[in-house]
Amino acid sequence: MRDAVDTGIAHPAHQAGLRSPRLSRLMFRFALVLTAALALTTIDASAQLVDSVDVTRDGSNAVVRIRFGALIQYLRHVPVSEGKVVQVYFQITARDEASASRQEEQRRPPPNSPLPGLIVTYPVQQPGLQRRLDVDFGSNVQFTLRPEDGRTIAIVVALTDQQLARIAPPEARPIALPPSEVTPPPQTDVERDAAQLARDSRAAMERRDFEQAVGALNRLLNLPPNPWSQEAQEMVGYARLQLGEATKARAEFDLYLKLYPEGPGAARVRQQLAVLAILPDGAPSTAARREGPTYWGSVSQYYYGGQQRTKTTTTITTPATGATTIDTATLSGTEQSQLVTNIDLTGRFRDAVWDNRVVVRDSYAANFLKDSTNDNRLSAAYFETMYQPSQLFGRFGRQQATSNGVLGLFDGAVGAWGFARNWRVGAVAGQPVDTTFGTTKTFYGASVEADNLGDRWSGNLFAIRQMAGSIEDRVGLGFEARYFDSERSVYSLFDYDPTFHSTNVAIVQGNWQIATGTSLSALYDYRRAPTLQLTNALIVDPTVSISTMVQRIGLAATRDLAKTVTPASRVAFVGLTQQISPTWQLGFDVRWSSLSGTPAVLTQPAIPATGNIYTYNVQAIGNSLTKWQDILVVNASWLTAKTYDAQQATLDYRFTPWPDIVVEPLLRWYRQTDPQGTSLTRVSPGLKLTWRVKDRLWLEAEFDVERSRAHSPVIVDDVTRHFYYVGWRLDL
């Protein structure tokens, strides 16, 4: 139903746009069953870094939005504006279970999206500050890439004539739209919103996106009466007719005549009603396509293996004689042997009113080492639905938190209502999957969100309360603010806990892409690590419950203890990227970080502060150096800290010698020294192969060798590791 926003009155005839009550009840029951099943599950959980990939149409462009499950800082990408594959480099600013992912992740959009061949891959990577994401478009495209906020990267792809023809076939007849009879310019905010919605709906009708047109027209008709209301009431009837909804179209046209019985529009509507009198229900006036149920995703299996051989040489000096004895010991064995099966499935059904989706992502690891256990990790299992006319949204089940003060992976529900153009209110309630110290936690919260204010700004205000049993664990009050245009983006997050009188998170980060080929990145990040919660006090005595500790020492003392044992992290970062030629770009980054120490408390020993840690990084990236669609990355880093210094160099070369085979040799070198005379040197060559056997069947394999030497005045450890994985993936 379209609600009249300011008056609370709805026209009865608009009930024609409702989904059947039986189907709505089935959707609701399904959501309850899914949520109940998740509440009873005992399997482990692990968040994934890439939360979602969505592709939307924007005129003659497709917009790819890659949403992450952790806060990230965009650094650079290559190639800059044209190519089949683009590599995106970023760093993770908030360490959590999503950032710890060591398995390959892949996401695809729906098969009927404007870019059906798109594949987004987060490859297996060694731990480090800088991460990489591979975006394969399936064919050569022209694009622009920009970060939108601390969790989203957007890629705008120019669609070719062939792609546009596939989305809207050329044989489809143009829609004969009634002329707009509104001439005065908008004067009030309501009129400005109505004028924009009228333009949006006409553009959607012209490109035959009738579902989007109905959504825009319903939002316009939700506004108080305005000069565009009459035009919208006629247009929504035509849009319903094009979707094959003859009964709903009749209801819209009948309502038009009740509201506006005279004039040229009334004559046109009566003519359409005369045609509808002989048109069978469900038959569109012109060829129109509707989207039925669709599904997509992937199933994959990978075997991970690894062996290690350690040779320890110890020099023993006899004090009395000064004689030395060299003792050598060798130890070898298998350190990894597991078969990992991954399932990533999405099902979707949408029409002009509803947009429903079910997502399941699960990973099962069968471990073959002695005394090891098998591990099942459910990272997503939720049902979401949106009633588009009123912008009502709900998601139920296991999901990754992405905003509004919620931490990590949780089981619960999220809801939102777009009560006005660009404005939403939201609510969330659930239970964190992470049960630290065996404590069951629950939380609930609310938010107010705004989008596209001045076409540049968006953000939200949020409040959240988390309970550990019957005891308040934490409170979060804060905001997120975002600004972005074609060249600049700024994101900030502030989270304050009034019960601790302390800031949990304060972040500001930005990117500026200049037309000269220069890109600047900057970040300042202050946070409690881990997030400040009352249950952090259990670090000093994990054998008791939080309620027992509060009974023993009191709530205020427990809160002070939690604050004492929770350190604070500070990070500042500045990065510069310059395109120096059509095939080469050069990047330079400087990072400063520190982690405060904590005093000795009961059984918890004192942890010294890290002091200032400085990291300097230089990266050279070349692309299209040969005809093999290649990307060469050369990276050098230098780290200096109070307790050690380190240097690192890597070389990664990705090329496609044959259309369906990707080869990626890589080489890593690392050296670390400390003031006590201990040094570590590590060299790691490797090779990764990917073969696209058929359109949706892939074979992958990687083999790495790591040779390291840890040298101290007395002991020398020589370690050789072999790591490999091999597997297949079937895209559905």
Side-chain angles (χ1 to χ4, degrees):
M1 178 182 294
R2 279 193 232 106
D3 295 325
V5 174
D6 288 341
T7 63
I9 300 173
H11 296 293
H14 288 165
Q15 294 179 359
L18 285 174
R19 172 180 286 253
S20 70
R22 179 176 180 274
L23 187 52
S24 297
R25 287 196 298 270
L26 288 174
M27 292 161 45
F28 180 69
R29 290 174 182 171
F30 179 83
L32 290 180
V33 170
L34 178 61
T35 306
L38 292 175
L40 296 174
T41 187
T42 59
I43 61 178
D44 292 332
S46 176
Q48 296 189 329
L49 185 63
V50 182
D51 183 60
S52 63
V53 174
D54 291 314
V55 182
T56 58
R57 174 90 177 274
D58 184 11
S60 60
N61 297 322
V63 181
V64 181
R65 284 187 171 85
I66 304 170
R67 184 80 169 169
F68 294 86
L71 289 172
I72 63 122
Q73 167 78 49
Y74 161 82
L75 299 176
R76 55 188 62 92
H77 67 276
V78 65
V80 176
S81 59
E82 183 177 357
K84 178 179 178 290
V85 178
V86 57
Q87 292 187 341
V88 184
Y89 296 89
F90 61 96
Q91 62 180 355
I92 300 172
T93 61
R95 300 287 165 180
D96 56 17
E97 66 269 21
S99 65
S101 174
R102 290 293 305 276
Q103 294 185 6
E104 182 169 286
E105 300 177 27
Q106 286 209 340
R107 300 285 180 271
R108 296 184 69 128
N112 54 358
S113 78
L115 298 171
L118 176 71
I119 302 175
V120 177
T121 305
Y122 177 66
V124 176
Q125 298 173 57
Q126 296 292 329
L129 295 175
Q130 183 170 278
R131 304 298 179 95
R132 190 189 95 199
L133 192 74
D134 295 340
V135 182
D136 189 338
F137 297 106
S139 60
N140 198 68
V141 300
Q142 293 182 336
F143 65 89
T144 58
L145 185 149
R146 64 172 187 264
E148 285 194 348
D149 56 37
R151 295 183 187 269
T152 307
I153 289 176
I155 308 175
V156 180
V157 180
L159 296 174
T160 64
D161 292 339
Q162 292 80 1
Q163 290 169 323
L164 290 171
R166 184 180 59 81
I167 300 169
E171 65 271 17
R173 292 191 289 144
I175 304 302
L177 299 178
S180 176
E181 299 175 0
V182 182
T183 55
Q187 301 295 327
T188 66
D189 289 341
V190 169
E191 291 183 357
R192 280 187 284 271
D193 289 345
Q196 182 60 51
L197 286 168
R199 289 192 293 270
D200 293 345
S201 62
R202 281 185 174 272
M205 291 281 282
E206 288 171 355
R207 63 174 182 265
R208 307 188 67 82
D209 191 345
F210 306 116
E211 293 173 358
Q212 185 172 340
V214 168
L217 290 166
N218 281 336
R219 291 194 296 274
L220 195 161
L221 291 167
N222 275 334
L223 297 174
N226 59 77
W228 286 266
S229 299
Q230 180 176 351
E231 173 185 315
Q233 186 59 55
E234 182 181 3
M235 291 274 288
V236 75
Y238 288 107
R240 294 287 190 191
L241 198 57
Q242 292 294 329
L243 287 168
E245 300 168 346
T247 300
K248 296 176 182 178
R250 289 189 190 99
E252 300 290 5
F253 287 141
D254 286 339
L255 179 59
Y256 181 94
L257 293 178
K258 292 178 182 178
L259 298 174
Y260 315 104
E262 304 295 336
R268 291 191 298 267
V269 167
R270 288 190 179 94
Q271 184 178 5
Q272 284 294 335
L273 283 172
V275 174
L276 283 170
I278 59 173
L279 187 68
D281 192 18
S285 60
T286 61
R289 297 176 300 162
R290 297 190 60 185
E291 180 178 318
T294 58
Y295 67 91
W296 66 96
S298 65
V299 179
S300 63
Q301 276 191 322
Y302 295 91
Y303 176 79
Y304 294 86
Q307 291 79 38
Q308 175 177 317
R309 180 179 182 274
T310 303
K311 178 181 178 182
T312 302
T313 304
T314 306
T315 302
I316 304 172
T317 302
T318 304
T321 62
T324 60
T325 302
I326 298 178
D327 179 67
T328 302
T330 302
L331 181 66
S332 61
T334 301
E335 62 177 357
Q336 184 178 24
S337 179
Q338 63 177 201
L339 180 66
V340 179
T341 302
N342 303 298
I343 296 176
D344 182 356
L345 299 175
T346 300
R348 185 180 189 183
F349 177 84
R350 68 173 182 172
D351 56 23
V353 177
W354 291 91
D355 189 350
N356 309 304
R357 188 179 309 206
V358 178
V359 176
V360 177
R361 295 174 188 148
D362 188 77
S363 177
Y364 180 80
N367 290 290
F368 305 124
L369 295 179
K370 185 179 180 180
D371 300 326
S372 64
T373 59
N374 298 333
D375 185 23
N376 194 81
R377 298 184 178 273
L378 181 68
S379 60
Y382 60 82
F383 165 75
E384 72 176 32
T385 183
M386 174 176 282
Y387 179 59
Q388 298 181 87
S390 298
Q391 292 295 292
L392 287 172
F393 171 83
R395 178 186 284 186
F396 312 90
R398 176 159 293 179
Q399 53 195 290
Q400 174 70 18
T402 56
S403 62
N404 297 331
V406 183
L407 305 176
L409 198 67
F410 72 96
D411 295 333
V414 175
W417 171 43
F419 64 92
R421 180 172 171 81
N422 300 331
W423 287 91
R424 292 187 304 276
V425 291
V428 61
Q431 177 177 309
V433 173
D434 179 20
T435 55
T436 308
F437 305 114
T439 303
T440 300
K441 301 179 181 182
T442 58
F443 64 85
Y444 56 90
S447 64
V448 178
E449 304 177 30
D451 287 328
N452 298 323
L453 298 181
D455 294 328
R456 296 289 183 269
W457 290 92
S458 61
N460 61 63
L461 299 173
F462 63 83
I464 192 164
R465 188 184 190 214
Q466 182 168 291
M467 306 295 292
S470 60
I471 300 174
E472 189 173 75
D473 192 34
R474 79 178 186 96
V475 173
L477 301 176
F479 68 86
E480 293 179 89
R482 297 175 288 272
Y483 171 91
F484 69 90
D485 57 28
S486 60
E487 295 181 346
R488 294 169 291 271
S489 67
V490 179
Y491 170 78
S492 63
L493 166 64
F494 182 76
D495 188 326
Y496 179 79
D497 193 322
T499 62
F500 285 95
H501 305 288
S502 177
T503 299
N504 238 327
V505 181
I507 299 175
V508 60
Q509 65 184 61
N511 295 91
W512 186 13
Q513 297 177 339
I514 306 173
T516 57
T518 305
S519 177
L520 300 174
S521 304
L523 163 76
Y524 179 78
D525 185 314
Y526 169 89
R527 68 178 60 242
R528 290 284 186 158
T531 301
L532 193 54
Q533 304 169 75
L534 189 70
T535 47
N536 289 3
L538 296 178
I539 292 173
V540 304
D541 190 358
T543 63
V544 303
S545 66
I546 190 64
S547 58
T548 300
M549 180 172 287
V550 170
Q551 290 174 359
R552 287 179 180 176
I553 66 176
L555 181 60
T558 305
R559 190 170 285 137
D560 290 340
L561 180 59
K563 193 173 182 179
T564 299
V565 298
T566 305
S569 166
R570 293 175 174 83
V571 176
F573 169 88
V574 176
L576 169 68
T577 303
Q578 179 63 54
Q579 190 76 25
I580 58 178
S581 75
T583 56
W584 283 97
Q585 63 175 246
L586 188 65
F588 177 70
D589 309 324
V590 179
R591 177 187 175 98
W592 165 83
S593 63
S594 69
L595 184 67
S596 64
T598 57
V601 181
L602 298 178
T603 60
Q604 178 73 15
I607 300 176
T610 62
N612 294 332
I613 301 174
Y614 297 94
T615 305
Y616 308 91
N617 184 73
V618 178
Q619 187 175 52
I621 307 176
N623 69 283
S624 301
L625 303 175
T626 69
K627 62 180 181 180
W628 291 343
Q629 300 177 359
D630 55 341
I631 299 177
L632 173 64
V633 182
V634 182
N635 196 85
S637 302
W638 176 42
L639 182 148
T640 177
K642 181 173 65 175
T643 56
Y644 69 98
D645 292 333
Q647 302 83 41
Q648 178 175 274
T650 63
L651 186 148
D652 192 327
Y653 187 47
R654 183 188 192 278
F655 61 98
T656 307
W658 296 279
D660 296 320
I661 295 180
V662 178
V663 182
E664 189 172 351
L666 48 99
L667 177 64
R668 303 181 184 92
W669 174 86
Y670 178 82
R671 178 174 173 79
Q672 177 179 311
T673 58
D674 63 28
Q676 289 73 40
T678 300
S679 65
L680 169 67
T681 303
R682 183 165 55 233
V683 178
S684 308
L687 178 66
K688 179 179 179 180
L689 300 173
T690 303
W691 178 23
R692 186 171 184 169
V693 181
K694 292 186 177 181
D695 182 46
R696 294 182 177 272
L697 178 62
W698 303 73
L699 299 181
E700 295 180 349
E702 182 174 341
F703 181 78
D704 298 283
V705 178
E706 178 182 291
R707 298 183 183 275
S708 64
R709 164 169 283 201
H711 188 284
S712 71
V714 177
I715 300 176
V716 176
D717 283 329
D718 291 297
V719 180
T720 301
R721 289 189 175 95
H722 298 89
F723 166 80
Y724 62 92
Y725 75 84
V726 60
W728 59 271
R729 186 183 77 255
L730 178 64
D731 294 328
L732 304 176

